[in-house]
């Protein structure tokens, strides 16, 4: 039987009936499958837009992904979600809601991307440039879906195009090595097909630089350090992906067309909210007040590092909430840790003609060039010795402030510090510590039990990091149940 894939689009359906017309006389409209949908260039672009739309979902990037970093020593979960508390304290199990959400959305990304990869080549009414771009985006997002699945769960099923053709979706796990190879293949295709950059009308789309950035990250997690250097330098040496002029502008409306933003969730006032902002800002300011920074993170910043004030709000700091009341002071009652993330607290200036309160017209960074600079610096240090990454680390530091003392003969200690302060609150810390722990570069179990790694309410509580169990999360139990034994649980769960 020929497989037909249902095309999901944003449709508003109004149902009505009349006494003079039988239902059987009505012509059904707005229902599409692969036989009647992939007709022209517009259909191809809309299909790809449907993949981007997933990123804005609350239980995908905006909140669920952030949850996987709350176990780190950078911030405390706050909030009233028991599933987040379990992830932070490493007491989660296979029935954890966030673990389930994450699996579902990653495979939906794979599903929509593969659908595009199979069907867009069949379209004849499409310009070559748009066809290449669309295919590049589809390959990138399939890689991204598998990348996040691999980082979170380890061994996961790979659903091939042949499996789709046969509607065969109950598939056993592939090894992490096989998943990495699949990601690499898709990213190399994306690098070839994607444009280097876009015009203002298309800001927010993934580019060749985005694919190079993710490929660099893949090689680092794969411990293919020479490949990470070669790939990352292709991005670093391209001015189209240069660091922004200042660190702070990465977290303002000015960042929408920034060369540094390799991947982002684009917000639009009254249309697409940035849930990062809502989750991070205090409840009294209209948010949920989750993910509150810890004192250990605040203390990590050097005294003359302006990234601290761009990243954190501390007690006594003032900020314009765009409510016409002037600057509002950040007080101790707004956070259980004494800090909040300034980088996600974006408000209209008082008196703005565009609105007041929270400003959603900015892009939340998901991957920045500075991340890649520091990964290449790390790879050089680990392959060539201390000092090999100095030039790249100092580019990142110099962009932050000319007052920061340049590093000299920097080793992993300096590199680990730089990644922490540069990427604080951007979902990298827990995964960084775990990959370093695997190579005996840090002791993650000891770090997580330091007093400065815990919120005031958790002082005295022991967090038990078990190796290798906690390097990966369990496969959602609901998925194992649905597979009738085909899908096997990760070890130690």
């Amino acid at each position: 039987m020929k497989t037909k894939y249902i095309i999901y689009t944003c449709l508003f359906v109004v149902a009505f009936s009349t006494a003079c017309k039988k239902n059987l006389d009505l012509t059904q409209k707005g229902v599409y499958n692969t036989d009647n949908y992939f007709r022209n260039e517009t259909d191809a672009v809309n299909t790809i837009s449907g993949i981007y739309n997933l990123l804005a979902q609350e239980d995908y990037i905006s909140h669920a992904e952030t949850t996987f970093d709350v176990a780190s020593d950078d911030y405390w979960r706050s909030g009233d979600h028991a599933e987040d508390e379990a992830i932070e304290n490493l007491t989660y199990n296979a029935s954890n809601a966030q673990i389930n959400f994450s699996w579902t959305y990653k495979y939906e990304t794979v599903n929509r991307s593969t659908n595009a990869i199979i069907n867009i080549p069949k379209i004849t009414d499409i310009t070559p440039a748009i066809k290449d771009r669309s295919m590049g985006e589809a390959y990138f997002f399939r890689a991204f879906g598998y990348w996040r699945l691999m980082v979170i769960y380890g061994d996961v099923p790979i659903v091939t195009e042949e499996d789709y053709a046969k509607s065969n979706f109950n598939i056993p796990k592939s090894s992490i090595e096989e998943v990495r190879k699949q990601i690499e293949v898709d990213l190399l295709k994306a690098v070839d097909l994607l444009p280097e950059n876009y015009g203002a009308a298309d800001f927010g789309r993934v580019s060749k630089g985005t694919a190079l950035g993710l490929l660099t990250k893949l090689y680092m997690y794969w411990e293919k350090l020479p490949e990470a250097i070669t790939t990352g330098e292709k991005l670093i040496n391209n001015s189209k992906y240069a660091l922004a002029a200042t660190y702070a502008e990465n977290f303002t409306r000015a960042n929408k067309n920034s060369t540094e933003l390799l991947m982002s969730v684009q917000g639009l006032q009254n249309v697409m909210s940035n849930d990062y902002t809502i989750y991070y800002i205090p409840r009294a300011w209209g948010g949920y007040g989750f993910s509150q920074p810890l004192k250990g993170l605040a203390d990590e910043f050097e005294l003359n590092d302006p990234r601290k004030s761009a990243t954190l709000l501390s007690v006594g700091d003032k900020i314009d909430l765009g409510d016409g009341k002037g600057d509002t002071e950040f007080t101790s009652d707004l956070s259980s840790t004494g800090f909040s993330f300034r980088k996600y607290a974006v408000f209209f200036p008082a008196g703005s003609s565009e609105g007041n309160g929270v400003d959603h017209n900015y892009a939340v960074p998901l991957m920045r060039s500075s991340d890649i600079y520091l990964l290449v610096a790390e790879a050089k240090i680990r392959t060539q010795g201390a000092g090999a990454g100095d030039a790249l680390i100092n580019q990142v530091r110099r962009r932050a402030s000319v007052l920061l003392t340049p590093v000299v003969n920097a080793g992993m200690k300096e590199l680990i510090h730089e990644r922490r302060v540069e990427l604080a609150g951007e979902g990298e810390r827990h995964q960084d510590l775990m990959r370093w722990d695997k190579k005996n570069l840090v002791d993650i179990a000891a770090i997580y039990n330091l007093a400065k790694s815990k919120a005031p309410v958790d002082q005295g509580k022991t967090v038990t990091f078990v190796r290798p169990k906690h390097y990966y999360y369990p496969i959602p139990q609901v998925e194992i149940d649905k597979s009738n034994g085909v899908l096997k649980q990760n070890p130690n769960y």
Side-chain angles (χ1 to χ4, degrees):
M1 183 181 72
K2 186 176 182 180
T3 303
K4 295 185 179 181
Y5 304 101
I6 301 301
I7 309 301
Y8 293 95
T9 57
C10 297
L11 299 174
F12 293 92
V13 180
V14 179
F16 65 95
S17 62
T18 65
C20 61
K21 195 173 183 73
K22 294 180 181 179
N23 286 339
L24 292 178
D25 294 333
L26 295 175
T27 300
Q28 192 175 22
K29 298 180 179 180
V31 176
Y32 299 99
N33 57 49
T34 49
D35 283 347
N36 65 9
Y37 183 77
F38 289 94
R39 303 157 299 178
N40 53 43
E41 181 169 297
T42 299
D43 292 342
V45 173
N46 287 343
T47 297
I48 300 301
S49 295
I51 306 173
Y52 282 96
N53 286 344
L54 289 170
L55 298 179
Q57 298 303 309
E58 182 179 23
D59 287 323
Y60 188 9
I61 293 296
S62 297
H63 178 52
E65 285 296 277
T66 303
T67 302
F68 291 109
D69 200 40
V70 298
S72 80
D73 56 341
D74 272 1
Y75 48 91
W76 178 59
R77 70 187 182 277
S78 188
D80 52 2
H81 288 249
E83 64 270 25
D84 298 354
E85 181 178 1
I87 289 176
E88 179 172 65
N89 295 329
L90 305 179
T91 58
Y92 51 80
N93 58 35
S95 297
N96 185 283
Q98 298 292 15
I99 289 171
N100 187 30
F101 292 149
S102 180
W103 180 279
T104 300
Y105 275 102
K106 306 307 181 299
Y107 272 110
E108 182 60 20
T109 301
V110 171
N111 172 45
R112 296 189 186 190
S113 301
T114 305
N115 189 28
I117 289 166
I118 292 171
N119 290 290
I120 288 177
K122 302 173 185 177
I123 299 174
T124 56
D125 184 13
I126 185 171
T127 59
I130 295 299
K131 186 174 185 178
D132 284 351
R133 185 193 82 183
S134 297
M135 290 296 291
E137 289 171 297
Y139 281 120
F140 172 83
F141 276 111
R142 186 165 71 177
F144 180 75
Y146 279 127
W147 158 257
R148 291 305 299 165
L149 285 163
M150 181 270 293
V151 166
I152 295 168
Y153 304 101
D155 299 347
V156 295
I158 296 174
V159 187
T160 67
E161 287 146 62
E162 183 180 352
D163 292 323
Y164 274 82
K166 296 177 180 178
S167 294
N168 177 30
F169 302 113
N170 193 15
I171 299 168
K173 294 190 295 185
S174 294
S175 70
I176 196 168
E177 182 74 9
E178 292 172 309
V179 178
R180 287 166 173 162
K181 289 177 180 178
Q182 175 64 51
I183 296 168
E184 181 185 35
V185 167
D186 280 349
L187 286 177
L188 288 172
K189 291 177 181 177
V191 168
D192 285 341
L193 292 166
L194 287 168
E196 285 192 315
N197 60 357
Y198 296 88
D202 288 312
F203 60 71
R205 291 189 175 278
V206 297
S207 67
K208 190 182 299 291
T210 317
L212 287 169
L214 188 57
L215 188 57
T216 304
K217 292 173 77 70
L218 171 69
Y219 287 141
M220 289 300 293
Y221 278 67
W222 206 346
E223 288 293 316
K224 291 190 172 187
L225 304 186
E227 289 88 341
I229 293 170
T230 300
T231 304
E233 285 184 337
K234 291 178 182 177
L235 181 148
I236 291 166
N237 294 330
N238 191 326
S239 62
K240 293 181 174 63
Y241 314 120
L243 300 177
T246 66
Y247 180 80
E249 70 186 67
N250 284 301
F251 310 100
T252 67
R253 186 192 295 200
N255 73 3
K256 282 212 168 188
N257 282 314
S258 171
T259 55
E260 183 168 348
L261 259 65
L262 303 176
M263 187 177 182
S264 62
V265 175
Q266 301 278 331
L268 184 62
Q269 197 73 11
N270 300 320
V271 176
M272 184 73 73
S273 65
N274 270 317
D275 285 329
Y276 269 83
T277 294
I278 300 303
Y279 272 96
Y280 279 83
I281 64 176
R283 288 180 182 266
W285 296 355
Y288 295 135
F290 293 174
S291 301
Q292 297 175 2
L294 293 167
K295 188 176 186 298
L297 172 60
D299 291 346
E300 184 77 16
F301 290 90
E302 295 158 66
L303 290 177
N304 57 346
D305 191 341
R307 287 176 293 190
K308 181 176 183 178
S309 60
T311 299
L312 304 178
L313 281 167
S314 307
V315 173
D317 289 346
K318 295 183 177 181
I319 184 172
D320 183 355
L321 303 182
D323 55 7
K325 300 178 181 179
D327 286 345
T328 296
E329 184 174 338
F330 183 78
T331 52
S332 60
D333 60 306
L334 295 174
S335 167
S336 297
T337 67
F339 303 94
S340 183
F341 275 110
R342 173 68 179 87
K343 61 169 54 174
Y344 297 121
V346 183
F347 300 91
F348 286 108
S352 171
S353 60
E354 298 179 80
N356 53 59
V358 178
D359 180 358
H360 291 288
N361 287 325
Y362 79 105
V364 174
L366 299 183
M367 183 176 13
R368 295 192 288 116
S369 296
S370 63
D371 181 3
I372 311 307
Y373 278 58
L374 294 176
L375 287 176
V376 174
E378 177 188 338
K380 289 187 172 185
I381 291 170
R382 291 176 58 193
T383 56
Q384 302 168 31
D390 284 3
L392 290 171
I393 295 173
N394 285 328
Q395 284 187 61
V396 174
R397 289 174 64 79
R398 188 163 53 249
R399 185 276 297 276
S401 174
V402 294
L403 298 178
L404 286 175
T405 303
V407 298
V408 177
N409 206 35
M412 282 301 297
K413 177 182 177 181
E414 291 78 13
L415 184 282
I416 289 170
H417 161 79
E418 203 63 34
R419 281 190 64 79
R420 189 179 190 188
V421 296
E422 174 70 22
L423 302 169
E426 297 181 46
E428 298 294 328
R429 178 66 173 175
H430 182 54
Q431 289 297 333
D432 272 350
L433 288 173
M434 287 200 293
R435 65 184 181 83
W436 292 327
D437 187 84
K438 292 173 188 176
K439 303 303 291 184
N440 296 315
L441 297 170
V442 300
D443 183 347
I444 192 172
I447 290 171
Y448 282 1
N449 279 300
L450 295 172
K452 65 180 181 179
S453 299
K454 304 175 190 288
V457 299
D458 287 338
Q459 291 299 316
K461 181 187 294 183
T462 299
V463 175
T464 304
F465 189 96
V466 179
R467 305 175 180 90
K469 174 182 178 178
H470 287 133
Y471 288 145
Y472 299 103
Y473 293 86
I475 306 298
Q477 187 60 47
V478 65
E479 301 298 335
I480 292 176
D481 294 342
K482 286 190 297 185
S483 77
N484 293 318
V486 173
L487 197 57
K488 304 299 182 183
Q489 185 54 273
N490 284 342
N492 304 307
Y493 288 102

